[in-house]
Amino acid sequence: MNKPLDLVSTVISPLILLLLAAGSVCAAEADIVEVPAADAELLQAPAEPEPELLIDPGQLPEYDRHVDVLEKKGGSLGYSFLFKNGNAGRALEYGFLDSSRAGGVFYRHMEKDSNLELEGFYLNENDYHGDLLLDYRGDYRLHLRTESLYHNLDRELLFTQPFDFFSNTPPANPGDPPVIANYAPSQLDAGADYGVSVVQDRADFRYRLHNFPLHLNLGYWRYQKEGTVQQIFSDVSFEGMVNRVFAEARPVNQQVQEGRLGFDAHLGPVDLIYDFKFRSFEDRLSTPVALYQARGDLAGNPVTLAGMQQHNDNPDSRFYSHTVKLHSSMSGGLVAGASYAVEQRENLSRLTDTIGVQHARTYLQNAAGDFVYTPNREYTFSVRYRRQEVDHGNRGAVLSSNLLLPSAPSRPPVDTVKDIVIATVSYKPRLDLSLVGEYRGEFLQRKHVSLFPSESTWALPENSNTNTGSLAAHYRPIKGLRTSAHLTYSTTDHPSYGASFGERREGKLLANYTRSNVWGLTAHAMFRHDKNDEVPHYLILLDPTNPDPVSYVSSPLTYRDKRSENSNLGAWFVPLHRLTLGMNYSYLHNKIDQPVLFTGVFVPSQSGAKYMSRAHVYSLNASYAATEKLDLSLSLQQSESTSIFTPEPAVFTVGIPGSTAGIGELSRFRAVQRTVSARGEYRFSQVLSTSLEYTFRDYDDKNPENSTFDGSAHAIVAAVAAKW
């Protein structure tokens, strides 16, 4: 339909005819001629077709249509009362543990040519968010957002008593007893509370040329982390007599800033997109220092100096990238797209006693291509290709002013080339059934690697190829029921690491049923089995009389078997008018069977081991609209978490004596977390309302030695809100 011509014919043409009629009436009144009534119809001129005016109706004031202004605003004021018992940091892990004022505001103004939306909520100084969206005729679009979250952290306790251990230093005479080394804790953070606040600020601006299909995009993102964390570090050497482990408080003040500049344009058959990104990381605090002991090698030669040394550096860095994308129209049976990105990362470490990593760079190239073809309603074919090249450069020898011996050549980083090919076929024979088959091939190549670790190479496979096939089915047999099944099988010819899989089988099942908004069920299950029969281990061969260079020998291959089962079952129903009840149960289970190498110096000290983790999560909730003005809700949740690492009993008598006794008891973990939440809201009118919310969180570690982590928190938030 031609809307401008329709407006001409329905609005402007009748107006012109009305003016002509008015002129005729004026003329008739000036010169009146009496005509018999019977001949009146014969004297009327025949009706003429309405003229088509070639006038842009947008230039006429009559074309401006009236649009009502939509405006909504409101806000809330309240107070959050927090009461804590014991160590509430784990009970309320992501919450600030102080009472504070609370409130929120929202404002929406929509009219014909502009749109303004503003909302924000403040719970405390470390938990808030704000959002502003401004749009003018689609030509200017500004989006501002800020948000903050607080994370409570644990304070770990070191071993409380010093202990002795056999040193690698040989005795002075062959018949003398082995040398004993002392290991002592140094807990320097008594009474410290740990936590960090994370603030994110984002600004995005888009400008559209009014008469040209082009957008200019600008963006800024800032990530700020502040607080205090626990720093655990050590001054330990198997050849030293005095060894210490430290725990101290470390302040945190880190910032990441990112700027983006780009454009996207519609150029006939293709769309062009360009994006430039620059990001910098800055640690605003100095690198920590500590007093270290002088150390020597197995032969007694001095290796390092004693004194204040830097440790645990968080190096500054910067990153930039250029990205170009092209794609055809997203509509139609054939869609193609391609992209290319070049990136660079640079290390800006401020270490003063160690050099060699400053201004080290990493170069990345990413290329991608997509092809999607839809010949008809039943079939869709797609092929996707991804390639990434990672090269490291501008890296010198790592040298330290605290090192007395000549530095060995630094081991170069691993350069990689990764290719990924994904082919997908989708078949929909019926409206209620669809089948999806997919192949994914991932091919990885590395440089600076070898079968055995050395001073110039890493012990990694040169090539690692992973092939994955999957089949998914989505079926809706009856009204209200939706089901899906997904099966995946993967193989890797050379697993990269001990935790990598050589063979993986995975299955997922999902079912959802809703009956007339009266009751519903949801069920989900996932099963995964990973196997790796080629886990390598390497033994270190040390010669006390000639410790350099270090040599390695391969240990027999071991295995790794991992099984995971995750499931979820939920139900809801409406037993009474205005009352809705819901329940949910989740089960998570992981089991790993893998031999562990407790030490790889001189001789292997290996024992079979099993790791198991399990979690049960139960929840109940109810919501009740007691009256037209009063709403009530209640939620209960309990989670039980268990994990244990159990090595098989073994005694090691060769090399460094020891055994696996007691490890299972030390690693056992079991904790119960409970949450109770109740809320009520009463609306005095359409404008004014009030709410009261109560939340109780409790953390209970069932191991007596970990009772310091037990605690609970009670939070009460009372607020008054208005909207109009």
Side-chain angles (χ1 to χ4, degrees), residues 23-39:
S24 301
V25 171
C26 294
E29 291 178 345
D31 188 10
I32 300 177
V33 179
E34 293 185 2
V35 179
D39 298 333

Side-chain angles (χ1 to χ4, degrees), residues 215-399:
H215 292 104
L216 176 66
N217 303 303
L218 301 174
Y220 172 78
W221 175 68
R222 186 177 75 97
Y223 178 92
Q224 179 80 23
K225 179 185 289 187
E226 293 182 300
T228 306
V229 300
Q230 186 183 46
Q231 181 71 73
I232 298 179
F233 62 99
S234 62
D235 179 16
V236 172
S237 172
F238 288 122
E239 295 77 35
M241 298 301 98
V242 179
N243 300 283
R244 298 186 67 84
V245 179
F246 301 88
E248 63 180 14
R250 178 177 180 177
V252 174
N253 189 350
Q254 300 172 355
Q255 178 176 265
V256 179
Q257 296 187 85
E258 179 183 284
R260 293 179 290 109
L261 170 64
F263 66 86
D264 58 86
H266 178 67
L267 305 176
V270 298
D271 290 346
L272 172 65
I273 302 170
Y274 169 77
D275 185 69
F276 170 75
K277 183 183 297 181
F278 176 82
R279 183 189 306 134
S280 66
F281 169 78
E282 178 187 8
D283 191 341
R284 296 181 171 183
L285 302 178
S286 59
T287 303
V289 295
L291 179 62
Y292 281 78
Q293 301 287 330
R295 300 292 179 181
D297 59 15
L298 293 175
N301 302 313
V303 175
T304 61
L305 295 172
M308 303 299 293
Q309 300 178 21
Q310 295 174 317
H311 65 91
N312 292 93
D313 177 44
N314 292 321
D316 295 353
S317 63
R318 61 188 173 197
F319 163 90
Y320 69 82
S321 68
H322 299 270
T323 304
V324 178
K325 299 179 182 179
L326 288 171
H327 66 78
S328 62
S329 175
M330 295 299 182
S331 61
L334 179 63
V335 178
S339 69
Y340 174 76
V342 56
E343 305 172 352
Q344 178 179 299
R345 302 171 184 173
E346 184 176 3
N347 188 312
L348 301 177
S349 173
R350 295 173 294 174
L351 289 173
T352 58
D353 58 7
T354 303
I355 62 174
V357 294
Q358 290 86 346
H359 302 289
R361 294 186 179 94
T362 301
Y363 303 94
L364 297 95
Q365 297 184 73
N366 295 283
D370 292 347
F371 179 85
V372 180
Y373 178 55
T374 307
N376 50 47
R377 184 184 64 83
E378 288 83 9
Y379 287 97
T380 298
F381 304 91
S382 69
V383 177
R384 289 173 287 173
Y385 172 73
R386 304 289 185 268
R387 181 181 178 88
Q388 182 185 73
E389 298 183 8
V390 181
D391 296 317
H392 301 271
N394 197 36
R395 178 170 176 168
V398 179
L399 302 174

Side-chain angles (χ1 to χ4, degrees), residues 25 33 136 194 327 397 446 506 512 534 563 589 615 659 665:
V25 171
V33 179
Y136 178 70
Y194 293 123
H327 66 78
R446 298 185 178 94
E506 184 178 73
N512 182 283
E534 300 180 1
R563 299 176 184 268
H589 180 230
S659 71
E665 289 74 15

Side-chain angles (χ1 to χ4, degrees), residues 84-101:
K84 53 187 178 181
N85 180 27
N87 184 3
R90 283 199 179 183
L92 192 61
E93 184 175 2
Y94 297 98
F96 196 52
L97 301 177
D98 283 335
S99 301
S100 64
R101 294 181 295 272

Side-chain angles (χ1 to χ4, degrees), residues 289 435 489 549 561 576 621 631 678:
V289 295
L435 303 174
Y489 178 75
D561 189 278
L576 300 173
N621 57 80
D631 292 336

Side-chain angles (χ1 to χ4, degrees), residues 62-104:
E62 293 85 358
Y63 179 74
D64 290 339
R65 57 189 178 89
H66 176 72
V67 178
D68 293 334
V69 176
L70 176 62
E71 186 176 69
K72 293 183 179 181
K73 49 185 175 292
S76 63
L77 290 175
Y79 197 86
S80 175
F81 303 89
L82 187 70
F83 309 94
K84 53 187 178 181
N85 180 27
N87 184 3
R90 283 199 179 183
L92 192 61
E93 184 175 2
Y94 297 98
F96 196 52
L97 301 177
D98 283 335
S99 301
S100 64
R101 294 181 295 272

